[in-house]
């Protein structure tokens, strides 16, 4: 299971490094807020740049999609029972969120990775340092705290018609 989370953590970290690189670049002042970044890249027609570095808007959109998955997973996890398989929960959430953006082969690889996930109780015990009861209480609170960030980012991307960046 460490390999699965390691891969995801590495992917998220690489995207954060891309955004930090934009912030540290000669145009860094254009990347101090999400609003400023999107406006700058829309104005300069660089929202779809795939080269090095890829556009900040494109990179953040992938993190935004991951945030949607994480929020939904945490909410479903909090409403499940101790013995429910997180593989089923993650699979359902994946189908509703990230799958539509992934090629068939990536979807199959994700399904194999999720299949290895343990029960809710075992997952929480392996991944969290807090006691089990505290984690269950925090799942909804953390997901609720993510919601305003997700919603505001969603509005910005929709406003600029950037929800389907390649």
């Amino acid at each position: 299971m460490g390999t699965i989370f390691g891969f995801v953590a590495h992917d998220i970290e690489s995207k954060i490094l891309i955004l930090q690189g934009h912030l540290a670049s000669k145009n860094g002042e254009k990347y101090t807020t999400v609003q400023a970044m999107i406006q700058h890249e829309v104005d300069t027609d660089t929202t779809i740049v795939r080269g090095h570095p890829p556009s900040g808007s494109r990179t953040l959109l992938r993190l935004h999609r991951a945030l949607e998955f994480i929020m939904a997973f945490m909410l479903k996890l909090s409403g499940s029972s101790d013995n429910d398989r997180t593989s089923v929960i993650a699979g359902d959430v994946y189908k509703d969120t990230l799958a539509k953006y992934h090629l068939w082969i990536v979807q199959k690889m994700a399904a194999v990775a999720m299949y290895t996930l343990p029960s809710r109780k075992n997952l929480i015990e392996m991944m969290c340092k807090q006691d089990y009861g505290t984690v269950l209480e925090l799942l909804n609170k953390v997901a609720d705290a993510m919601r305003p960030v997700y919603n505001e980012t969603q509005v910005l991307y929709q406003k600029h018609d950037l929800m389907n960046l390649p």
Side-chain angles (χ1 to χ4, degrees), residues 10 15 30 32-34 40 45 53 57 60-63 77 81 102 107 111 126 134 139 142 144 147 152 154 158:
H10 176 71
K15 287 173 178 37
K30 310 276 194 210
T32 56
T33 68
V34 174
H40 167 68
D45 198 28
S57 299
L60 183 62
L61 179 60
R62 274 123 185 97
L63 290 171
L77 198 61
S81 69
H102 293 159
Q107 291 177 24
M126 286 190 298
T134 302
L139 285 171
V142 172
D144 287 344
R147 178 70 52 200
E152 184 65 27
Q154 184 78 6
Q158 288 172 334

Side-chain angles (χ1 to χ4, degrees), residues 144-157:
D144 287 344
M146 294 175 187
R147 178 70 52 200
V149 173
Y150 176 84
N151 288 343
E152 184 65 27
T153 305
Q154 184 78 6
V155 166
L156 285 169
Y157 274 82

Side-chain angles (χ1 to χ4, degrees), residues 32-48:
T32 56
T33 68
V34 174
Q35 295 90 333
M37 175 189 70
I38 289 174
Q39 193 61 59
H40 167 68
E41 290 190 352
V42 166
D43 291 346
T44 59
D45 198 28
T46 55
T47 58
I48 61 169

Side-chain angles (χ1 to χ4, degrees), residues 56-68:
S57 299
R58 188 173 181 271
T59 302
L60 183 62
L61 179 60
R62 274 123 185 97
L63 290 171
H64 177 66
R65 291 170 179 167
L67 182 61
E68 180 184 25

